[in-house]
Amino acid sequence: MIIKLARGLAALSLALTSLAASGAAHAAAAEPVVLPLTDAVAALPLAAEARDGYSRDAFKHWNAGANPTDGCSTRGEVLVAEAVTAPTVGARCALTGGSWFSYYDETTVTTASGLDIDHMVPLAEAWDSGASVWTAGRREAYANDLGQDSSLVAVTARSNRSKSDQDPSEWLPPATSALCRYVSEWTATKLRWNLTTDQSEHDRLTQLAADCGETTVTYTPAP
């Protein structure tokens, strides 16, 4: 009996040690990474892009968001979080009042219906850059990413639709003041999800980063 008890205690101790180590490793992995913009761009992996098999339906969105009990989808939660002036949140996340600032085009918007929620790295671009081999669950997590503020951004419908699925070698925000932030947030999203860049995209990001002085990139690797 004593031997069995000792073995049991040893096994329990080993299990707890293993769980603690695993928890510590997970916590360490979740720590934000901060890099100068030029270093962050240099860290982006290069690869050719391919859109074969892409469908927007491969990325389920919008889902119930971070809080499934609040009545808001991911879209609604982003709108509430990014409001400059808080809207009134009614039944089924109906938003009235409030105001938002679309940094892409330096435009203030006073109706939620006038905004789109932009995927910083568009779904098609994510597919081209590595998401084509992900599970459906991981693509859903990407499309509804509330774990990093830069992944989803409320902007005017006009600017979002102008951007469409283009990368920074093809489209940039019309507001000059937005460029360094945009490059930083694009780079942060690609690093967070371990997405690649093609050569023209990488070259353009490198060129833009060189003119952004002390701008940094902050990202947390996705779970």
Side-chain angles (χ1 to χ4, degrees):
M1 180 66 71
I2 293 174
I3 292 173
K4 288 183 178 179
L5 180 59
R7 287 177 178 172
L9 289 172
L12 178 60
S13 176
L14 180 61
L16 290 173
T17 300
S18 177
L19 283 171
S22 175
H26 181 76
E31 286 296 313
V33 179
V34 182
L35 294 170
L37 178 55
T38 52
D39 291 353
V41 170
L44 291 167
L46 278 168
E49 292 186 354
R51 194 158 297 186
D52 299 344
Y54 169 70
S55 168
R56 189 173 176 82
D57 292 339
F59 296 81
K60 181 182 176 182
H61 68 291
W62 305 107
N63 65 19
N67 180 5
T69 68
D70 67 3
C72 293
S73 68
T74 303
R75 169 185 163 82
E77 290 184 0
V78 172
L79 288 172
V80 171
E82 294 194 4
V84 176
T85 304
T88 299
V89 183
R92 302 180 68 179
C93 204
L95 304 181
T96 54
S99 67
W100 293 263
F101 182 73
S102 169
Y103 88 85
Y104 287 6
D105 48 7
E106 296 183 325
T107 300
T108 296
V109 180
T110 55
T111 57
S113 61
L115 294 155
D116 281 355
I117 304 303
D118 182 37
H119 291 92
M120 174 55 61
V121 174
L123 302 180
E125 171 68 21
W127 178 274
D128 299 350
S129 308
S132 61
V133 299
W134 292 352
T135 64
R138 189 161 181 81
R139 287 195 288 267
E140 180 179 355
Y142 176 84
N144 297 274
D145 184 15
L146 293 168
Q148 179 165 283
D149 290 346
S150 58
S151 296
L152 300 171
V153 56
V155 296
T156 59
R158 177 182 62 254
S159 63
N160 183 49
R161 293 164 197 182
S162 171
K163 172 182 174 178
S164 186
D165 60 5
Q166 300 175 93
D167 71 34
S169 70
E170 304 162 310
W171 186 90
L172 290 167
T176 303
S177 63
L179 292 180
C180 291
R181 175 179 172 182
Y182 186 79
V183 172
S184 174
E185 294 187 348
W186 179 280
T187 303
T189 304
K190 286 227 159 177
L191 289 173
R192 171 169 168 78
W193 290 92
N194 196 31
L195 295 170
T196 61
T197 55
D198 64 16
Q199 191 65 61
S200 61
E201 175 190 355
H202 199 278
D203 289 348
R204 185 64 171 137
L205 289 170
T206 300
Q207 179 187 43
L208 291 163
D211 293 328
C212 285
E214 301 301 314
T215 302
T216 60
V217 170
T218 302
Y219 73 96
T220 304

